[in-house]
Amino acid sequence: MSATVSKNSKLDCERGGQLERARDYPYAFPMHSYTYRDGCASTFEPMLDQGRTPVLAFGSNQSPLRLRQKYGHDADTVIPVQHAHLKGFDVVYTARIASYGAVPAMLQAQAGAEVSLAVTWLNDRQLAVMHESEGVGVNYDFALLEDVEISLDRGDRLDDVYVYASRHGHFVHDEDAVALAAVVAKGRNWPERTTGEMLVLARDRVSPAAQIDDFILRLVGDEGFRRACTEALGYDAVPFSHSYRTIEV
């Protein structure tokens, strides 16, 4: 009896963790610059950016938790994460379901907007890990945005920056993109929602009779179902509308 209870408790805990991971995207992140070190956010060290590649972090890559999931196997990983503002863009939900059940983010052009995000300064080894985790060539193109306006914390500016540009386009609801409520933007004209709310919209489109927790858990556990949902979400998706130069990796 006790073994059965213990087994059920463990299963409930695992399911609870899966639901939390899906709904909590893009996870907590500081609204200031920091250095990712030893799995945590520590004081920002600006000189560490030398010889590194500046890559926009507009979703969960701003979060120390997500960086720990990607780089936690390497205790020596140090990444400067510099808070920034980007003019003419916003952060919206893409028309795709991630392997862990979330509706992930993408960058999208929006005239008059200025979005708060971060620049991760990555060395070559860290960049290779990031490429793999982002699904370059499948989910995103690794690309160079040129002639943009990026204001970095501490007063610096960038005109060119690298980005993971979505291959799936943005999720359309009521003929609009949907912005991430967790990401701050000035001049935002699109409605904003949490990821939990987006998962309800996804459920309503592809499997309206399903109980929402069951729907999310199936997204996590059933790759074929997840792919079918991504296909259904993408039928009216809008591609990334800003020009960029794809970088071969």
Side-chain angles (χ1 to χ4, degrees):
M1 180 70 174
S2 59
T4 300
V5 171
S6 177
K7 183 178 180 180
N8 288 340
S9 298
K10 181 179 180 180
L11 183 59
D12 288 343
C13 184
E14 290 174 352
R15 289 174 173 172
Q18 290 172 341
L19 293 169
E20 182 178 12
R21 185 179 183 190
R23 289 188 170 112
D24 284 358
Y25 179 94
Y27 319 116
F29 52 85
M31 294 295 291
H32 56 78
S33 300
Y34 69 93
T35 299
Y36 173 81
R37 184 190 294 275
D38 296 330
C40 300
S42 62
T43 303
F44 184 61
E45 301 170 68
M47 296 306 294
L48 289 176
D49 65 8
Q50 299 300 307
R52 292 170 176 250
T53 301
V55 182
L56 287 180
F58 45 80
S60 63
N61 288 338
Q62 300 180 82
S63 170
L65 172 63
R66 188 67 176 129
L67 293 177
R68 186 163 66 245
Q69 290 169 349
K70 295 186 177 190
Y71 297 99
H73 63 284
D74 186 353
D76 295 328
T77 297
V78 176
I79 301 173
V81 182
Q82 192 167 11
H83 189 61
H85 293 87
L86 174 62
K87 290 186 177 180
F89 293 86
D90 202 351
V91 175
V92 301
Y93 288 98
T94 190
R96 179 175 71 87
I97 303 295
S99 61
Y100 47 93
V103 185
M106 64 172 281
L107 197 68
Q108 184 60 285
Q110 187 184 37
E114 180 176 310
V115 67
S116 172
L117 35 63
V119 173
T120 51
W121 295 89
L122 305 176
N123 63 30
D124 290 346
R125 179 178 55 79
Q126 294 162 356
L127 195 58
V129 173
M130 190 65 76
H131 287 342
E132 183 176 0
S133 71
E134 294 297 311
V136 170
V138 178
N139 296 322
Y140 295 92
D141 289 324
F142 184 60
L144 180 64
L145 291 181
E146 300 174 292
D147 299 321
V148 293
E149 296 183 57
I150 303 174
S151 302
L152 297 169
D153 191 15
R154 306 177 66 88
D156 300 324
R157 298 179 65 87
L158 290 175
D159 299 319
D160 303 329
V161 69
Y162 293 89
V163 67
Y164 292 102
S166 175
R167 286 186 157 200
H168 292 272
H170 73 239
F171 188 116
V172 174
H173 179 68
D174 289 341
E175 301 183 353
D176 269 328
V178 182
L180 274 71
V183 175
V184 176
K186 299 178 181 177
R188 173 175 283 166
N189 292 320
W190 288 318
E192 58 183 33
R193 285 182 168 82
T194 66
T195 305
E197 292 169 335
M198 285 302 298
L199 284 165
V200 172
L201 293 182
R203 186 277 313 269
D204 291 347
R205 180 177 293 191
V206 302
S207 188
Q211 200 277 337
I212 186 60
D213 285 1
D214 294 339
F215 174 73
I216 296 171
L217 292 171
R218 189 176 177 191
L219 289 175
V220 175
D222 186 337
E223 182 179 359
F225 178 68
R226 185 168 65 246
R227 288 181 177 178
C229 288
T230 291
E231 183 176 348
L233 297 181
Y235 82 91
D236 59 351
V238 176
F240 182 43
S241 59
H242 194 277
S243 61
Y244 62 86
R245 180 156 57 92
T246 302
I247 307 298
E248 296 297 326
V249 299

